Amino acid sequence: MDQHIAEAIGRPDLIRLDDRLVCLRFETMKVVSALAAVRHLLDTGAVRRGDTLLDSSSGIYAYALALACHRHGMRCHIVGSTTVDATLRAQLAVLGATLERMEPCEDLKLDQKRRVERIHEILAEHPEYHWMRQYHDDIHYLGYRAVAERIRRSTDGRGGGGGGLTLVGGVGSGASTGALARYLREDSADVELVGVQPFGSVTFGSEHVADPEIIIAGIGSSIPFGNVDHASYDTLHWISFDAALAGSVDLLRRHAVFAGLSTGAGYLAARWERSRAPERTVVFIAADTGHRYVDSVYARHHEAAAVASLTPRQVTNRAELALPWSRMRWNRASRGPDRASAPDPPQVPGTHRPTGTHRPTGSRRPPAGRAGPE
């Protein structure tokens, strides 16, 4: 029996959509990483019960951290994006979290920059606060070991039939796809990792291509993220809002899975990878439910293109990226978007440590205003 609702919320379901396509469905995925991160900080003495945990969020991590703080008797302070909706604001308030919601801003890149600046201001005023640094600290990998073990048991770690396993998911921070791939590769070398990005995101160098709709919340970034292990990824898909909308609608219509917009993008990429390698089992991540996207996505279901009509543009470098959908072999290149387009040779899985910088055991708090690689 679970001791707290957060433990139930963080437990995913594995849903087989066909013989080789599997949906890893979460109610709220980041609860997995937040719970494990807070538990680790308490166990190592980096924080104590009653301390305040601080971070920036566009929504989902705010809820996850508030639940983890509620579970472990901590205080929670969130600098929130304009995308934090009324339903989430009400839940955060009742859970006792402090939410500072940024003023409306049409430029999502500026919104993210302003939130980071506010984090530094708060740390200067309250050096005793602990900045969780969800995008940079590799302690957020820890919670995904149990999820990887569940995938391994359900597919025997090699796709359930010996044909290999392909994992597909959005790359906001690297704590979900990167962590799952790392843990799965401990037992099997035949695990391919496919990352999904929106156009305009800097993480894999698509900031020069603008999507006329919006950066897909949760899987894009306007600043570099330190816990993205670029050397883990075999293939990248860049998917526009319109294409992701089509994927979300098809996933609900065909399989009755009601999930967020990033899931629609992941489903689209997973179908393509499945068609290219029918012997492999493809698992794609559904990070949250579709409730936040009723008006922006599902109410527009009549606009959705047929997914069978959508195919990615195959590119060999990022200069060729184009809407609505591009695909490129990344080949486990070891560096991010400042790298030349030719990738590095593949690295041996498990040899690269994430670039997060969590403090060693016994170091209770950061100096005032300590900055990550924002």
Side-chain angles (χ1 to χ4, degrees):
M1 184 179 297
D2 295 318
Q3 301 301 308
H4 192 272
I5 185 64
E7 293 154 4
I9 290 173
R11 187 182 305 111
D13 301 307
L14 276 165
I15 305 165
R16 188 173 293 280
L17 304 187
D18 68 26
D19 62 334
R20 293 288 184 174
L21 183 63
V22 178
C23 177
L24 179 66
R25 180 194 175 276
F26 293 86
E27 181 175 339
T28 305
M29 183 181 67
K30 288 189 176 182
V31 172
V32 174
S33 54
L35 273 177
V38 173
R39 180 73 265 167
H40 176 80
L41 291 170
L42 286 165
D43 289 346
T44 58
V47 300
R48 292 191 295 257
R49 288 175 64 88
D51 282 357
T52 297
L53 305 183
L54 168 71
D55 216 337
S56 161
S57 173
S58 62
I60 293 299
Y61 187 79
Y63 179 56
L65 186 59
L67 286 175
C69 287
H70 189 277
R71 169 71 176 85
H72 292 296
M74 315 290 290
R75 294 184 175 89
C76 178
H77 190 127
I78 297 292
V79 178
S81 166
T82 57
T83 59
V84 178
D85 60 25
T87 301
L88 180 53
R89 293 199 302 272
Q91 290 182 83
L92 293 176
V94 175
L95 286 168
T98 298
L99 171 66
E100 292 188 37
R101 191 163 178 253
M102 301 302 294
E103 292 298 318
C105 176
E106 292 184 1
D107 186 342
L108 286 180
K109 294 182 180 181
L110 180 59
D111 174 77
Q112 195 166 46
K113 180 174 182 291
R114 288 164 61 203
R115 282 188 277 134
V116 172
E117 290 171 348
R118 179 58 186 148
I119 290 287
H120 288 289
E121 292 173 357
I122 293 169
L123 288 172
E125 297 165 7
H126 297 281
E128 73 279 10
Y129 286 7
H130 181 94
W131 184 10
M132 291 298 294
R133 302 171 75 248
Q134 63 155 318
Y135 299 129
H136 305 297
D137 198 326
D138 59 6
I139 61 171
H140 291 92
Y141 273 45
L142 299 175
Y144 290 100
R145 181 176 287 280
V147 180
E149 178 55 34
R150 182 159 183 201
I151 295 171
R152 186 182 294 114
R153 290 197 307 269
S154 299
T155 65
D156 80 11
R158 296 178 300 279
L165 181 69
T166 299
L167 179 68
V168 180
V171 189
S173 73
S176 56
T177 48
L180 286 170
R182 167 169 297 196
Y183 296 138
L184 287 168
R185 286 168 177 166
E186 288 177 350
D187 285 345
S188 173
D190 194 7
V191 175
E192 292 253 327
L193 180 57
V194 177
V196 178
Q197 283 272 276
F199 292 95
S201 174
V202 306
T203 307
F204 288 90
S206 70
E207 61 269 28
H208 60 291
V209 183
D211 188 332
E213 286 276 0
I214 192 172
I215 256 188
I216 301 172
I219 64 169
S221 177
S222 63
I223 60 175
F225 288 165
N227 65 8
V228 175
D229 180 5
H230 293 82
S232 289
Y233 295 85
D234 297 283
T235 302
L236 267 295
H237 287 252
W238 289 266
I239 296 178
S240 71
F241 175 91
D242 290 339
L245 182 150
S248 297
V249 170
D250 189 82
L251 180 61
L252 179 57
R253 179 179 290 132
R254 191 185 303 262
H255 299 289
V257 176
F258 182 52
L261 188 62
S262 67
T263 301
Y267 168 67
L268 203 61
R271 280 173 51 92
W272 180 260
E273 297 299 328
R274 167 74 172 79
S275 70
R276 288 177 59 84
E279 76 284 359
R280 300 181 68 83
T281 292
V282 179
V283 177
F284 70 95
I285 296 172
D288 60 353
T289 65
H291 296 87
R292 291 201 303 163
Y293 304 92
V294 169
D295 292 333
S296 60
V297 174
Y298 290 99
R300 298 169 58 181
H301 62 89
H302 57 281
E303 301 175 24
V307 293
S309 70
L310 300 173
T311 57
R313 173 188 174 93
Q314 303 289 340
V315 303
T316 57
N317 64 75
R318 286 160 294 188
E320 299 172 348
L321 292 175
L323 277 70
W325 182 6
S326 295
R327 177 186 184 272
M328 187 176 93
R329 287 292 295 174
W330 187 259
N331 294 327
R332 305 191 191 183
S334 62
R335 291 182 62 190
D338 59 334
R339 181 158 194 82
S341 59
D344 287 342
Q347 294 188 346
V348 177
T351 62
H352 176 85
R353 173 177 164 76
T355 54
T357 54
H358 70 266
R359 294 180 305 284
T361 303
S363 175
R364 274 217 5 103
R365 294 187 176 99
R370 175 177 176 178
E374 298 282 7

